[in-house]
């Protein structure tokens, strides 16, 4: 295999499939092999004609570049082809079911994209006078209203830009509330063993010590352990519901009661809100703060690229500490409260320079309006139904991590069923690529051995679910029949085969260097 100077194979391995047949050029059944954009050369080429730049003498105080910038130049058709060819090497949400768990929102209704591109919402600037963007600010206010209504919470901070950013917002509000009440000595945050990594990371980032809460055999928070660990030193608990095992925390009301009795706040990680939206209001369960990943529950496919948005709903107790800005309106119209004074005197600060991700707000609001309250409820019901269908159809061959009772929006399997087959979770996931499916989430949550977390979401038809399940069943039968060769070096049919992912993560090559001129033949 030829390698380029950053160690990437420039061509697929000689044999493109198990028959040993290989094309001569590296192409494959109407798909072209494609080098890096830097290797395509053409430094002086461009897709547009620009007038020669007039040198701005003196303005750069002697910092003018004295060498070519070294960016690759391509003509328009070359640029289009380059990216289309790259896109064909990867999975696409529009191609097939994308079973990643802890993720949600796969199909993104095109209507929302259309709305987000309306010039009155996309061609505006955050520094424009507010009187000229009244419609956009009103949209933020209406979105805030929906989020508060759906969660049963009195306040929302729209500006956090992702789930993890929302967690930071929630914990900063909690810290501000404790400090205002003279409880700044509370320096511990409790989180279950199954928590998403962002939970402990956020708590540590805010200066808290993180203590783990144990889990019961049926995948829920261990109440006795929680009670034992609560106390005057605890600032908050962070609990995901439905949790990362795809299970509803049955004792969530008791969790809230114990937490409040100990003087701590209940931060709920709302990344899985998709599974309960329209059916359960977190405010009724005793939650004090919860982020909602708009990109996981209210449109924009997660895993399909950014940006996201992570608004945080807040209880009565935390609302005064919400970060600016937020929207108010009176007879004169809509306004953003931006300064930490008056009603916002206790605001802990800001989460971002401006108002957050406007494009996401539009998508989320369009999604809510097009579904309506009943439609959103059906989203949750269909997401849960689809996950249970997968769990039911695979449980005779694969081992569900928590066999008792139904799951929520995710079906979680462990690797007990692969014992003695010589096939690992990783091998199985890679073999799925050969069958045309993107792998599910692997090895998360950490509490389940060899975890395989499958999340179909509400947008898959029964036919698509069956197609996916049928492929997994064939693979599972092959693993049990001892066909290890099928798994060990999988994927066999992808443009690149099994990669050394550990090496790639530990020693990433992030910089491209120009290729050295080839040595003369005589040397
Ligand atoms: C995705 C996710 C997060 C983080 O959200 P981002 O938007 O990716 O920052 C946190 N917790 C859980 C359970 C998640 O699934």
């Amino acid at each position: 295999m030829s390698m380029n100077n950053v160690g990437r194979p420039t061509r697929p391995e000689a044999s493109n499939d198990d028959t040993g047949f290989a094309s001569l050029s590296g192409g494959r059944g109407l798909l072209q092999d494609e080098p890096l954009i830097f290797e395509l050369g053409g430094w002086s080429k461009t897709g547009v004609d620009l007038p020669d730049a007039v040198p701005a003498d003196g303005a750069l105080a002697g910092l003018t570049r004295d060498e070519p910038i070294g960016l690759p130049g391509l003509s328009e058709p070359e640029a289009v082809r380059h990216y289309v060819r790259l896109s064909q090497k990867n999975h696409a949400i529009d191609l097939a079911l994308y079973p990643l768990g802890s993720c949600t929102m796969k199909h993104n209704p095109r209507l929302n994209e259309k709305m987000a591109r309306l010039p009155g919402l996309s061609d505006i600037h955050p520094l424009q006078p507010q009187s000229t963007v009244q419609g956009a600010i009103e949209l933020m206010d209406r979105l805030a209203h929906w989020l508060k209504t759906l969660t049963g919470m009195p306040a929302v901070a729209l500006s956090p830009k992702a789930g993890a950013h929302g967690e930071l917002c929630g914990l900063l509000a909690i810290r501000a509330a404790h400090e205002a009440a003279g409880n700044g000595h509370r320096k511990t945050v409790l989180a279950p063993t199954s928590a998403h990594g962002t939970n402990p990371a956020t708590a540590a980032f805010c200066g808290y010590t993180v203590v783990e809460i144990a889990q019961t055999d049926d995948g829920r928070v261990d109440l006795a352990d929680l009670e034992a660990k609560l106390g005057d030193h605890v600032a908050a608990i962070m609990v995901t519901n439905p949790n990362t095992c795809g299970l509803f925390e049955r004792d969530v009301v008791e969790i809230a009661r114990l937490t409040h009795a100990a003087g701590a706040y209940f931060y709920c990680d709302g990344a899985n809100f998709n599974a309960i939206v329209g059916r359960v209001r977190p405010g009724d369960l005793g939650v004090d703060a919860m982020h909602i990943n708009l990109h996981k529950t209210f449109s924009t496919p997660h895993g399909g690229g950014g940006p996201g948005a992570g608004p945080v709903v807040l209880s009565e107790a935390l609302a005064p500490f919400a970060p600016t800005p937020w929207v108010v309106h009176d007879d004169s119209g809509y306004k953003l409260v931006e300064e930490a004074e008056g009603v916002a005197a206790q605001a802990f600060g800001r989460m971002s320079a401006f108002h957050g991700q406007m494009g996401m707000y539009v998508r989320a609001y369009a999604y809510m309006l097009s579904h309506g309250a009943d439609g959103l409820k059906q989203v949750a019901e269909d997401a849960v139904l689809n996950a249970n269908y997968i769990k039911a159809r695979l449980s005779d061959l694969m081992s569900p991590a928590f066999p008792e009772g139904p799951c929520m929006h995710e079906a979680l399997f462990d690797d007990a069923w692969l014992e003695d087959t010589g096939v690992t979770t990783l091998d199985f996931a890679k073999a799925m690529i050969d069958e045309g499916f993107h792998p599910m989430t692997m090895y998360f949550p950490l509490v389940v051995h060899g975890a395989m977390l499958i999340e179909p979401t509400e947008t898959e038809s029964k036919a698509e679910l069956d197609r996916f399940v049928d492929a997994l069943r064939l693979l599972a039968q092959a693993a049990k029949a001892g066909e290890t060769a099928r798994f060990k070096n999988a994927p066999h049919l992808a443009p690149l085969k099994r990669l050394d992912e550990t090496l790639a993560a530990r020693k990433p090559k992030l910089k491209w260097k120009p290729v050295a001129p080839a040595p003369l033949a005589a040397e």
Side-chain angles (χ1 to χ4, degrees), residues 421-424 427 483-492 498:
T421 60
V423 174
T424 64
D427 299 332
E483 288 180 36
T484 25
R486 172 176 294 284
F487 296 90
K488 274 302 155 200
N489 294 315
H492 300 268
R498 186 77 66 100

Side-chain angles (χ1 to χ4, degrees), residues 33-289:
D33 187 24
E34 185 69 359
L36 295 177
I37 197 166
F38 296 98
E39 295 162 336
L40 288 175
W43 302 108
S44 56
K45 246 186 274 178
T46 163
V48 284
D49 280 335
L50 294 173
D52 285 342
V54 184
D57 276 344
L60 292 173
L63 294 175
T64 326
R65 182 185 298 282
D66 48 20
E67 282 175 14
I69 191 166
L71 291 176
L74 298 181
S75 68
E76 183 174 295
E78 285 174 328
V80 170
R81 283 187 180 160
H82 177 69
Y83 288 107
V84 170
R85 286 171 186 167
L86 289 190
S87 75
Q88 289 177 317
K89 290 186 190 299
N90 218 333
H91 186 71
I93 305 170
D94 291 337
L95 264 180
L97 189 147
Y98 185 63
L100 270 195
S102 214
C103 194
T104 65
M105 221 52 221
K106 321 290 178 168
H107 174 71
N108 188 41
R110 297 298 187 267
L111 173 69
N112 311 334
E113 296 301 313
K114 205 170 167 183
M115 294 301 108
R117 284 164 177 71
L118 289 176
L121 295 167
S122 61
D123 294 349
I124 54 179
H125 193 278
L127 290 177
Q128 232 169 291
Q130 291 181 21
S131 61
T132 65
V133 284
Q134 283 289 296
I137 303 178
E138 180 177 353
L139 185 145
M140 289 169 66
D141 193 55
R142 292 195 186 191
L143 174 67
H145 173 77
W146 270 82
L147 293 174
K148 290 186 284 187
T149 305
L150 287 166
T151 55
M153 305 279 276
V156 61
L158 288 180
S159 60
K161 296 191 173 180
H165 204 208
E167 292 171 33
L168 179 63
C169 173
L171 284 202
L172 288 176
I174 288 172
R175 195 171 78 181
H178 277 312
E179 280 169 4
N183 284 326
H185 63 279
R186 290 177 178 264
K187 290 276 183 229
T188 298
V189 165
L190 306 180
T193 326
S194 63
H196 192 272
T198 50
N199 292 185
T202 303
F205 188 70
C206 291
Y208 289 115
T209 305
V210 184
V211 174
E212 279 187 25
I213 317 169
Q215 171 172 307
T216 58
D217 288 343
D218 69 350
R220 271 88 171 182
V221 165
D222 183 329
L223 274 188
D225 192 57
L226 169 68
E227 199 165 4
K229 285 176 179 161
L230 280 166
D232 188 47
H233 60 296
V234 176
I237 62 161
M238 296 181 89
V239 171
T240 310
N241 195 25
N243 67 26
T244 57
C245 298
L247 302 169
F248 193 81
E249 290 289 351
R250 257 186 326 250
D251 298 319
V252 62
V253 172
E254 183 62 6
I255 290 173
R257 194 192 65 77
L258 291 171
T259 303
H260 292 149
Y265 289 104
F266 181 0
Y267 185 91
C268 181
D269 180 329
N272 296 335
F273 192 47
N274 191 69
I276 56 173
V277 61
R279 289 192 62 101
V280 179
R281 301 191 312 165
D284 297 338
L285 307 176
V287 167
D288 291 296

